[in-house]
Amino acid sequence: MEKINKFITKTPRKFWLYNSIVALIFFLIAPHNFFQAILFPFAVIMVRYITLNYLTNVTVKYLGFYPFKKDIKWFLITLAISFVLYQTSFTIMILGGLLILWQDGYFDHLKIKK
C-alpha cells in the first residue's frame, strides 16, 4: 500500500483537476450516480498504477486527461477510454484494490498449506 500512496502523492494537481472536470462533464451527459463522478479520478489513478507496475507492455498515454495534448486522435481515444472508466469506476476500484492488496501480500495468511 505504500507504493500506491507514494504514486498518488506524486500525481500532479492538474491531473486531479482535469479528470475531475471530465468526470463532471460525463455526469452531466449521462447522469447515473454522482458517486461515479467522485470515483472516476481515483479509478484512472488505479488503472494507471496497475498498468505501470504490473503490465509492462501496455501504454498509459490514453489513460486520463493529463498531460493534455492538442491532438484530435489522442483526444477521441482518451475520451472513449475515459467514458468506459467512468461507467465502471466502482468495479475498477473494488477489483483494483483487491489486486493491489493481493500483490502486496495481504492475503498470504489465507493460503492453504499441504
Side-chain angles (χ1 to χ4, degrees):
M1 292 301 284
E2 292 176 25
K3 287 171 57 178
I4 194 164
N5 287 338
K6 286 181 185 177
F7 186 77
I8 289 173
T9 56
K10 288 182 181 179
T11 304
R13 285 185 174 175
K14 287 186 178 183
F15 176 89
W16 296 104
L17 177 68
Y18 292 168
N19 286 301
S20 297
I21 290 170
V22 170
L24 182 62
I25 292 169
F26 285 154
F27 177 72
L28 294 174
I29 292 172
H32 293 289
N33 187 352
F34 189 68
F35 190 61
Q36 283 179 316
I38 294 170
L39 281 182
F40 173 71
F42 295 103
V44 173
I45 283 287
M46 181 77 68
V47 172
R48 286 179 74 95
Y49 176 79
I50 290 170
T51 303
L52 289 172
N53 289 304
Y54 303 116
L55 306 172
T56 57
N57 295 331
V58 181
T59 183
V60 294
K61 70 179 183 177
Y62 298 116
L63 293 174
F65 279 90
Y66 182 80
F68 194 78
K69 299 174 185 160
K70 295 179 180 179
D71 179 19
I72 192 71
K73 175 187 159 195
W74 174 87
F75 179 76
L76 293 175
I77 293 171
T78 304
L79 188 67
I81 291 172
S82 294
F83 189 72
V84 172
L85 291 177
Y86 173 78
Q87 293 293 331
T88 60
S89 59
F90 183 73
T91 307
I92 288 171
M93 291 302 293
I94 297 293
L95 294 177
L98 288 173
L99 176 70
I100 290 171
L101 289 174
W102 176 57
Q103 291 292 326
D104 286 348
Y106 283 91
F107 300 122
D108 287 346
H109 67 280
L110 297 176
K111 289 183 180 176
I112 300 173
K113 296 181 181 179
K114 293 181 182 181

